[in-house]
Amino acid sequence: MKTVMTVVGARPQFIKAAPVSKLLRRQAREILVHTGQHYDANMSELFFAELEIPEPDFNLGIGSGLHGEQTGRMLVALEKLLQEHKPDWMLVYGDTNSTLAGALAASKLHIPVAHVEAGLRSFNRTMPEEINRILTDRMADLLFCPTTVAIHHLQREGIVRGVYLTGDVMMDAALHFSALAESKTDPFADLGIDRKGYCLLTCHRPQNTDDPQVLGELVDAFLQAEKTLIFPVHPRTRKMLSQFDFWQLLQKAPHIRLIEPVGYLEMIQLEKQAEMIITDSGGVQKEAYFFGVPCITLRSETEWVETVQDGWNLLVGHQRERILDALNHFQPAGEQARHYGDGHASEKIVDLILNDGHRSP
Ligand code: UD1
Ligand code: UDP
């Protein structure tokens, strides 16, 4: 039986790993390692409980820090675990510092690396995620691409071996958990929110949160919006809103509801009922598309170009006027295509890992 070491650490990785780990454990031994990059209960434990992800075998407890410090501490800890357990595969997800640390620790020890969500590019190297993606894809032996665009990005970088179009595991998660969400949770009752007539807002990219001028312009736009905004606030954003004295302003606005980060089952219900979604999150842009909700993205580029090309996602950056204009006037174009697969990406991924990159007959 093969041993696969899976490394996760940040909120979106728990969601991506949930459907894959479930299948993997039926046919292989999985050693699940949580780096501890996210550690608040509502950024971590809640997802393990709601999505029935097994307890991590190891929690490295790395926590927050500067990029080098955080990634470095992960590397040291992961190297020890890899030497001790000698897995057949290292499995990493997405583009966080936990992804990079997992891939780098394994590849230096000649342990093959499988990368879920390979080939994504924003072509913006000031994003830490873009560096993490490029480097992880360079090191990976199996590259599981969610879209054909991702395959083309890799081809342009000369990466063609071990590359597979699998579809998107977030589509698997959205389909699977949608069915469960309503029977298990009711965020509208819990939070006292009307099921209709609101926009859902998330914002956590450092380029939006860490510069007071940029964050100030965003806050201005949110304050002037003529819509009800439900805003589950990421801990990075909460910290920066407080640091730059914007928190109280938002809290006082009658049309804005600041809430703690919610679980995935709550989040997908909030997304589905929203009139519009405003976000800078990668995952949330796609979920808006999956659920047919128009999306305004607080960035000037996106990795998920299909959502923009199909007319369901509008890139507005952080400029107040563009955001307000989009909130009042953006109408999605209509047709959607199946860019993100059929909800069976996890099966293809597990099959390829177990067969060392060969498709089952
Ligand atoms: C990280 C990922 C980003 C991903 C996001 C998902 C990197 C470089 N970034 O960004 O790609 O989109 O996760 O949410 O890997 N904090 C807490 N409690 C927590 C976690 C974080 O208070 O449980 C606060 C700390 O002040 C910390 C800050 O949030 O310094 C940022 O956390 P960090 O994990 O470094 O980056 P994210 O912005 O969460
Ligand atoms: N999400 C959640 N609760 C929240 C905000 C987001 O469950 O309060 C989910 C969201 O539905 C999506 C994922 O977290 O599946 C996206 O993670 P995030 O925005 O933190 O990171 P990104 O996708 O930008 O890397």
Side-chain angles (χ1 to χ4, degrees):
M1 192 182 251
K2 283 211 159 61
T3 300
V4 178
M5 184 176 284
T6 298
V7 172
V8 291
R11 171 167 71 186
Q13 294 170 324
F14 311 138
I15 296 160
K16 290 167 197 173
V20 179
S21 281
K22 195 167 172 212
L23 288 179
L24 187 62
R25 281 173 184 242
R26 290 191 191 146
Q27 301 170 70
R29 176 171 171 249
E30 183 183 44
I31 303 174
L32 184 59
V33 183
H34 186 332
T35 61
Q37 177 170 348
H38 286 175
Y39 44 86
D40 289 348
N42 59 18
M43 295 294 289
S44 176
E45 271 163 57
L46 177 55
F47 293 85
F48 285 79
E50 271 195 351
L51 309 184
E52 294 178 356
I53 307 167
E55 280 279 297
D57 297 280
F58 299 95
N59 189 324
L60 307 179
I62 301 298
S64 308
L66 295 173
H67 287 281
E69 183 194 1
Q70 186 183 51
T71 316
R73 282 195 274 130
M74 290 176 192
L75 261 180
V76 172
L78 286 168
E79 186 168 61
K80 277 199 195 109
L81 280 184
L82 284 165
Q83 278 174 323
E84 196 180 321
H85 295 278
K86 300 187 172 39
D88 299 293
W89 281 95
M90 165 62 87
L91 175 59
V92 294
Y93 291 87
D95 52 20
T96 73
N97 288 346
S98 299
T99 315
L100 177 63
L104 186 52
S107 68
K108 287 286 181 77
L109 293 171
H110 315 295
I111 293 167
V113 174
H115 183 205
V116 175
E117 223 177 68
L120 271 288
R121 298 290 182 267
S122 65
F123 301 100
N124 175 356
R125 287 208 184 204
T126 66
M127 288 178 76
E129 293 84 1
E130 184 75 353
I131 308 297
N132 292 342
R133 292 179 195 124
I134 292 169
L135 295 175
T136 302
D137 285 339
R138 276 271 147 224
M139 292 182 276
D141 300 274
L142 279 178
L143 299 98
F144 301 128
C145 295
T147 61
T148 46
V149 170
I151 302 247
H152 294 142
H153 290 154
L154 292 175
Q155 278 168 350
R156 251 177 265 137
E157 292 174 25
I159 303 174
V160 288
R161 274 188 59 184
V163 174
Y164 292 93
L165 179 65
T166 56
D168 193 333
V169 292
M170 290 199 78
M171 176 68 130
D172 297 18
L175 289 176
H176 178 76
F177 291 110
S178 275
L180 277 180
E182 276 170 48
S183 63
K184 287 204 162 181
T185 59
D186 185 351
F188 303 99
D190 293 348
L191 298 162
I193 297 171
D194 280 344
R195 296 181 76 90
K196 289 269 172 275
Y198 66 87
C199 298
L200 182 67
L201 166 64
T202 82
C203 176
H204 75 279
R205 297 272 154 220
Q207 68 259 39
N208 281 334
T209 60
D210 291 11
D211 175 335
Q213 268 190 324
V214 174
L215 189 59
E217 190 158 354
L218 288 171
V219 166
D220 259 2
F222 304 155
L223 289 172
Q224 286 178 29
E226 289 168 357
K227 310 252 181 191
T228 301
L229 303 181
I230 308 292
F231 186 4
V233 189
H234 188 287
R236 169 193 285 282
T237 316
R238 189 180 186 122
K239 182 175 73 177
M240 301 320 284
L241 286 169
S242 301
Q243 191 171 311
F244 301 139
D245 291 331
F246 296 132
W247 181 259
Q248 303 280 343
L249 279 176
L250 289 175
Q251 219 174 19
K252 280 190 203 141
H255 65 292
I256 300 178
R257 178 78 193 273
L258 302 176
I259 59 174
E260 290 287 323
V262 294
Y264 182 68
L265 300 184
E266 289 83 354
M267 186 66 181
I268 55 180
Q269 292 184 70
L270 291 173
E271 289 173 342
K272 280 185 185 176
Q273 298 297 330
E275 212 173 273
M276 212 178 248
I277 292 178
I278 311 157
T279 192
D280 60 8
S281 156
V284 175
Q285 285 176 66
K286 263 183 309 170
E287 285 160 1
Y289 185 86
F290 298 162
F291 301 138
V293 179
C295 183
I296 299 173
T297 294
L298 305 171
R299 289 179 51 192
S300 47
E301 79 286 304
T302 180
E303 302 76 29
W304 306 104
V305 290
E306 306 79 12
T307 61
V308 176
Q309 282 157 8
D310 282 3
W312 281 81
N313 186 5
L314 189 68
L315 302 175
V316 293
H318 63 268
Q319 292 82 10
R320 187 188 54 196
E321 295 310 325
R322 290 186 66 193
I323 298 167
L324 292 172
D325 188 52
L327 262 172
N328 291 327
H329 302 296
F330 179 52
Q331 296 274 4
E335 287 301 299
Q336 288 200 349
R338 278 206 155 186
H339 301 291
Y340 300 106
D342 55 4
H344 294 282
S346 313
E347 288 155 40
K348 292 173 196 140
I349 287 167
V350 168
D351 185 57
L352 284 161
I353 294 173
L354 296 178
N355 290 296
D356 295 324
H358 302 286
R359 283 186 199 273
S360 283

